Amino acid sequence: MAKNLQAIRGMNDILPDASPRWAALEAAVREVLGSYGYAEIRFPIVESTELFRRSIGEVTDIVEKEMYTFADRNGDSLTLRPEGTACCVRACLEHGLLHNQQQRLWYAGPMFRHERPQKGRYRQFHQIGAEAFGIDGPDIDAEMICMTARFWQRLGLGDVRLQLNSLGSAAARAAYRERLVAYFEAHADALDEDSRRRLASNPLRILDSKNPAMAPLLAEAPLLIEHLDAASQVHFERLRELLDAAGIAYELNPRLVRGLDYYSRTVFEWVTDRLGAQGTVCAGGRYDGLVELLGGRPTPGVGFAMGIERLLGLLEADAEPAAAGAPQAYLVTVGAAAELAGLVLAESLRDALPGLRLQVNGGGGQFKNQLKRADRCGATWALILGDQEVADGSIGVKALREDEEQIRLPRAHLTEWLRARLPARSGSTA
Ligand code: HAM
């Protein structure tokens, strides 16, 4: 027997019983984004490898070991997008969206990283992200953070905490880097292998090490926040003032450095203790040098992205949202003539009632079996067309969730009968 084909490890199917939860989360987030004036942008899932190398940084976990990179049939090196910020900047530059104008944008979709799969960490995962361009003040950083706080409020997530740090300007970081290298070199024997390698290429990332043996060394390391340039310091102070005024609580985390190289100044993460090691549900920050790095004029940028799987993981324990997808009506058709009349009836109902969720029996079958299917799919009513109904222009209606007698209506009255019983939106003829 042929071997069953399976999904790629770390890449998940989202089955029909789960998708209403995805849709509800996406709808809530989309609504909040709209209320802050953010517009949707969509870009391809595949980009040139060079885009990610340049923006995320050569010496990062993502570029070094996690990208899905392949040569296409022309021999060009392409990569499945591991994140959206680089793609968003590329698209904005390509279409001239950053010329003397501000942009507030959002995007949603799958991202790909070849990480070791575990709960909350997948190889295809989904983000909703937002990016704002052309605004260098901390007011926009505060707006982004307020907006994310509003997502959690809307979704009913009470237990995510905000962590905040500033990475300063590129120059301040370069000076700090030297200090840090000197410190680690003085304690070279305490470095693990990964850190020794990073010492030459990306010493800041050593601070991110999760190796417990490194913890005492890291605890004593000099902190970037103590060596910020004056302008970044003012920027950060003002951001804190704005967040305080908005009533947004945060923890300062001087060790928050993020895993992508493009950040400068503000960085933040929303974390929870409920998801074990994969506790960051949303992360972002400012990247004032990225647009220039990718060939544009110097343009400040700031943004974040949240992991949908992780947010849904948090919501899982909470109440299930009502199953929004169940059909309202199921059309039972017995016999060839009824099948034909049923098709015509179903199409005319959909014309008249655009929001109606109507499922038509497929593949024939006995009356009893069709009714069973109607019941199983969660429909409120079974609409019944048999030989007799076809002959006399009527339709049977059986309430499936209430203990009521089956009724028979002239078929011409069915639209009005349904309209009177459907929620306002699905009964409209607009
Ligand atoms: P990131 O921290 O790499 O940042 O990812 C953002 C979020 O995506 C994470 O906090 C997490 O919730 C989710 N995530 C990341 N990797 C995985 C995975 N393997 N499985 C499940 N969820 C995952 C970025 O991607 C930046 N582009 C964010 C940003 C936008 N910064 C500025 N603008």
Side-chain angles (χ1 to χ4, degrees):
M1 210 169 68
K3 197 172 159 238
N4 283 346
L5 293 171
Q6 293 194 325
I8 307 301
R9 197 162 114 81
M11 303 198 182
N12 300 309
D13 299 305
I14 298 158
L15 299 179
D17 62 348
S19 55
R21 290 159 44 80
W22 282 69
L25 185 144
E26 285 160 1
V29 169
R30 184 185 283 261
E31 191 175 292
V32 173
L33 285 158
S35 76
Y36 282 78
Y38 284 69
E40 185 180 5
I41 181 168
R42 300 186 187 206
F43 29 75
I45 284 171
V46 180
E47 298 269 358
S48 73
T49 303
E50 178 63 13
L51 173 66
F52 301 115
R53 284 189 178 284
R54 257 209 267 170
S55 49
I56 297 170
E58 292 280 353
V59 193
T60 55
D61 282 349
I62 296 179
V63 170
E64 279 185 339
K65 18 185 206 207
E66 295 171 1
M67 294 206 302
Y68 280 90
T69 295
F70 58 97
D72 80 352
R73 288 174 188 278
N74 306 327
D76 298 329
S77 179
L78 306 184
T79 293
L80 297 187
R81 62 186 188 193
E83 61 111 45
T85 310
C87 314
C88 189
V89 172
R90 198 268 312 136
C92 285
L93 283 174
E94 189 164 331
H95 299 284
L97 301 188
L98 304 181
H99 280 312
N100 301 322
Q101 51 186 323
Q102 299 178 350
Q103 291 288 351
R104 285 177 166 86
L105 303 170
W106 69 271
Y107 51 87
M111 307 290 163
F112 302 84
R113 298 182 194 176
H114 195 273
E115 298 192 74
R116 203 160 44 76
Q118 54 177 260
K119 192 163 172 47
R121 188 164 69 194
Y122 307 104
R123 291 180 172 172
Q124 173 176 322
F125 58 99
H126 297 76
Q127 287 186 342
I128 300 180
E131 315 289 350
F133 297 98
I135 308 171
D136 58 12
D139 50 340
I140 188 73
D141 308 34
E143 175 180 287
M144 288 262 172
I145 289 171
C146 287
M147 187 161 72
T148 49
R150 192 169 296 279
F151 296 145
W152 319 143
Q153 188 194 42
R154 185 67 64 89
L155 297 171
L157 288 177
D159 58 352
V160 284
R161 305 188 317 272
L162 175 62
Q163 302 211 332
L164 194 64
N165 192 22
S166 175
L167 303 180
S169 67
R173 226 166 33 256
Y176 169 70
R177 185 189 149 113
E178 278 176 30
R179 237 176 249 268
L180 199 62
V181 169
Y183 170 79
F184 284 134
E185 274 173 349
H187 300 84
D189 46 343
L191 291 176
D192 62 12
E193 197 189 315
D194 224 24
S195 305
R196 229 168 271 151
R197 199 172 50 82
R198 289 232 145 92
L199 189 57
S201 51
N202 197 348
L204 262 70
R205 293 279 290 146
I206 298 178
L207 298 174
D208 242 10
S209 167
K210 306 281 183 288
N211 181 353
M214 295 271 297
L217 182 67
L218 299 186
E220 296 300 317
L223 293 175
L224 176 49
I225 195 84
E226 290 161 2
H227 301 279
L228 285 189
D229 53 296
S232 295
Q233 222 161 5
V234 171
H235 196 276
F236 196 50
E237 284 309 313
R238 179 67 180 163
L239 172 60
R240 296 180 58 181
E241 210 179 319
L242 291 168
L243 292 178
D244 290 343
I248 307 269
Y250 55 84
E251 299 158 18
L252 290 178
N253 178 357
R255 288 175 210 290
L256 184 65
V257 292
R258 308 277 300 121
L260 304 91
D261 279 357
Y262 48 62
Y263 292 107
S264 55
R265 293 196 169 163
T266 312
V267 287
F268 64 92
E269 290 190 355
W270 286 95
V271 297
T272 172
D273 299 324
R274 274 208 282 153
L275 293 177
Q278 310 307 322
T280 306
V281 294
C282 174
R286 184 165 273 285
Y287 47 86
D288 292 340
L290 182 59
V291 172
E292 199 179 0
L293 187 74
L294 293 178
R297 287 190 216 141
T299 307
V302 56
F304 64 81
M306 57 188 133
I308 307 300
E309 285 84 353
R310 291 187 191 175
L311 286 169
L312 287 172
L314 271 186
L315 290 168
E316 207 139 75
D318 308 342
E320 285 284 317
Q328 292 151 323
Y330 186 101
L331 181 57
V332 170
T333 62
V334 190
E339 187 181 85
L340 191 142
L343 174 67
V344 175
L345 173 67
E347 291 304 309
S348 72
L349 286 174
R350 293 189 183 109
D351 285 341
L353 306 168
L356 172 68
R357 293 193 303 279
L358 170 65
Q359 190 166 315
V360 177
N361 183 72
Q366 290 179 351
F367 176 70
K368 233 174 61 192
N369 289 339
Q370 293 197 33
L371 259 195
K372 257 192 221 154
R373 286 184 203 142
D375 187 45
R376 228 182 288 135
C377 78
T380 312
W381 303 288
L383 310 177
I384 299 161
L385 260 188
D387 286 343
Q388 192 186 339
E389 286 81 4
V390 172
D392 67 9
S394 69
I395 181 105
V397 179
K398 183 175 173 50
L400 296 170
R401 312 286 141 207
E402 314 270 339
D403 196 11
E404 285 171 12
E405 284 288 298
Q406 181 175 326
I407 57 169
R408 186 189 291 255
L409 304 170
R411 218 176 303 151
H413 292 183
L414 181 60
T415 301
E416 287 319 308
W417 189 92
L418 283 170
R419 195 198 305 282
R421 285 160 183 79
L422 291 169
R425 226 166 99 226
S426 43
S428 85
T429 44

